[in-house]
Amino acid sequence: MKFFQTIFVFINLVFFTGVIALTLSLNGAFYYLNLLFVIAISLFLLFVCLIFDLFKTKKRKIWFVSIVGVALLLTSIAPLQYHYKMSIATVDAEIEVSNYQPFMAQNKVVKNNIKASLQLEEPLPRLDGATAMYPLYAAFVEATYPKKDYYYANSEVQVSRTPEAYQNLIEGDVDIIFAAAPSDSQVKYAEINGLTFDMTPIGREAFVFFVHHKNRVDNLSLEQVKQIYAGEVTNWHDVGGDDDTIRAFQRPADSGSQSTLEKLMGDTPIMEAPAEDVASGMGGIIHEVSQYRNYKNAIGFTFRYYSTEMVGNKEIKLLSIDGIEPTKENIRNGTYPLTSEFYAVTTGTEKPNVQKFIDWIVSPEGQALVEKVGYVPVEND
């Protein structure tokens, strides 16, 4: 009997070690924990029953199989739901930055037809910015910077997200960033470091809301948008759609689009964002969202240029606000209600090429390139 007990203990040690290793290696492993625990317990009980010959009757076997089957079925629900969720298409909120690296062969950077009047030499302004701005300032770079390798992670021309870009500017790692207006916390962080932002408007952009392309809703009033993000309107039926709960997605804190939403809401508190993964303990606001999962009942927000990149997959559609579509023409003429400027932001510098570069960007020549890239220039105010 001791021999069998030793073998039994050894088998279980190997099995539980394997379970732990498998759990740690699984993507979304949390969803499998209960299932793996039930499998482990079931095998443990099976070993016990076999060793001590507890399956003497057919009734006992049926009871064992039934109990284990029900337990496995119940604990399989969470993994199945997880795989269903992951099967739903996502709408990426990032562009493929490598496609816009300046001076790379066959990149997607918009070119000037004629040589720019400004041709910079060392020391070159160190640039960073929001991902959506990278195609624009990459075009500025190809027009005015000397031709060389500007790898986007560690050169004079970097690209990150709005929060990181503002942090890099405040900490003196870059000279200019291209982004939407800063959040209140970013302004306070600059003040703590004895800095203020010098913000030069270089273009205009529309803040847009989008839904699944099969959603029957095509238009929301500005007041309805506020009610949705305040948690006061929670069903699409209340705004002319199907009887379905609204999943109102948000972006990370201090991102350009989240800061814009906060300004839009004014003194109205924004509801807590739906948790993508409540079971994993993330809870509450989605802190690191770079993608919107394209549920048919979802609504998200971004900027028009981003959205035109994303709409290419035909999975989302942009909503009109107060009956006005977010087109370039409606941004230009000021009829679209959610239009804002974006900026070249500095914190004051004595480097002469920095101001030269900004002056060129806001000149007719630079603004023509803004238009050509796909944004609305500020010269049309």
Side-chain angles (χ1 to χ4, degrees):
M1 182 61 71
K2 288 184 177 180
F3 173 77
F4 288 108
Q5 289 176 337
T6 302
I7 295 296
F8 171 74
V9 171
F10 176 76
I11 290 173
N12 275 273
L13 285 173
V14 171
F15 176 76
F16 283 112
T17 301
V19 167
I20 293 171
L22 176 63
T23 301
L24 293 175
S25 66
L26 284 171
N27 183 25
F30 184 89
Y31 296 95
Y32 295 87
L33 288 179
N34 289 336
L35 178 61
L36 292 173
F37 179 74
V38 168
I39 292 173
I41 294 298
S42 299
L43 290 175
F44 176 82
L45 293 175
L46 178 62
F47 289 144
V48 171
C49 291
L50 291 174
I51 287 175
F52 294 100
D53 196 21
L54 298 179
F55 290 140
K56 291 181 179 181
T57 66
K58 184 177 181 180
K59 185 176 182 180
R60 289 183 179 180
K61 292 178 182 177
I62 293 174
W63 271 104
F64 180 85
V65 171
S66 299
I67 294 172
V68 169
V70 170
L72 290 173
L73 180 62
L74 292 175
T75 53
S76 296
I77 293 175
L80 289 173
Q81 288 177 330
Y82 171 75
H83 282 290
Y84 169 72
K85 183 187 77 172
M86 297 307 293
S87 70
I88 298 172
T90 56
V91 181
D92 200 350
E94 303 293 338
I95 59 173
E96 181 55 58
V97 295
S98 61
N99 291 334
Y100 295 92
Q101 185 175 332
F103 299 113
M104 291 293 290
Q106 298 181 331
N107 64 19
K108 294 183 178 180
V109 177
V110 174
K111 321 292 184 186
N112 249 342
N113 293 328
I114 59 174
K115 186 176 181 179
S117 59
L118 175 69
Q119 296 297 311
L120 293 172
E121 298 178 352
E122 300 286 351
L124 299 170
R126 299 167 300 165
L127 311 180
D128 196 359
T131 315
M133 294 284 102
Y134 188 50
L136 179 59
Y137 65 87
F140 294 157
V141 167
E142 280 211 3
T144 62
Y145 276 45
K147 185 176 181 179
K148 65 175 184 176
D149 182 12
Y150 295 101
Y151 181 61
Y152 51 85
N154 57 359
S155 71
E156 294 98 333
V157 186
Q158 302 179 38
V159 60
S160 54
R161 299 181 307 162
T162 300
E164 288 80 6
Y166 271 104
Q167 181 174 343
N168 289 339
L169 179 64
I170 292 169
E171 294 180 355
D173 296 327
V174 296
D175 302 312
I176 310 172
I177 66 169
F178 299 88
S183 66
D184 291 341
S185 63
Q186 287 161 342
V187 171
K188 291 177 182 177
Y189 182 46
E191 290 174 349
I192 290 172
N193 286 270
L195 301 171
T196 56
F197 294 127
D198 295 325
M199 301 172 59
T200 304
I202 63 170
R204 301 175 68 191
E205 179 62 309
F207 187 55
V208 297
F209 291 85
F210 62 84
V211 296
H212 193 280
H213 72 285
K214 292 183 178 180
N215 194 318
R216 291 198 299 117
V217 174
D218 296 315
N219 175 75
L220 290 173
S221 69
L222 190 56
E223 183 60 29
Q224 286 172 330
V225 169
K226 292 181 179 180
Q227 290 173 340
I228 288 172
Y229 277 93
E232 297 170 2
V233 172
T234 59
N235 194 296
W236 283 110
H237 180 72
D238 297 332
V239 290
D242 295 331
D243 183 11
D244 200 356
T245 302
I246 298 174
R247 292 180 64 96
F249 280 95
Q250 297 181 39
R251 295 297 312 280
D254 292 331
S255 66
S257 53
Q258 186 71 16
S259 298
T260 302
L261 177 68
E262 292 167 0
K263 290 179 173 65
L264 182 157
M265 296 295 287
D267 295 330
T268 303
I270 301 174
M271 70 173 180
E272 189 174 86
E276 271 281 272
D277 190 356
V278 175
S280 70
M282 291 174 67
I285 292 177
I286 306 167
H287 293 291
E288 298 297 333
V289 171
S290 63
Q291 292 180 325
Y292 294 104
R293 192 157 297 282
N294 202 23
Y295 295 97
K296 291 183 180 179
N297 62 335
I299 182 171
F301 54 82
T302 184
F303 292 101
R304 183 196 58 86
Y305 188 87
Y306 246 4
S307 62
T308 55
E309 293 287 328
M310 295 188 290
V311 165
N313 62 19
K314 306 302 181 184
E315 290 296 317
I316 64 172
K317 64 177 178 180
L318 305 187
L319 296 177
S320 298
I321 302 296
D322 291 334
I324 308 297
E325 295 182 3
T327 63
K328 286 183 68 175
E329 292 72 20
N330 290 336
I331 299 170
R332 196 186 313 276
N333 62 33
T335 57
Y336 182 72
L338 300 179
T339 300
S340 60
E341 294 173 327
F342 55 92
Y343 304 89
V345 188
T346 67
T347 55
T349 177
E350 296 180 358
K351 297 180 179 179
N353 282 339
V354 170
Q355 193 57 51
K356 287 181 182 179
F357 186 48
I358 293 176
D359 289 343
W360 178 84
I361 291 172
V362 297
S363 72
E365 193 174 317
Q367 289 295 288
L369 188 54
V370 171
E371 175 91 56
K372 191 174 182 180
V373 170
Y375 286 97
V376 175
V378 291
E379 66 180 7
N380 291 293
D381 282 356

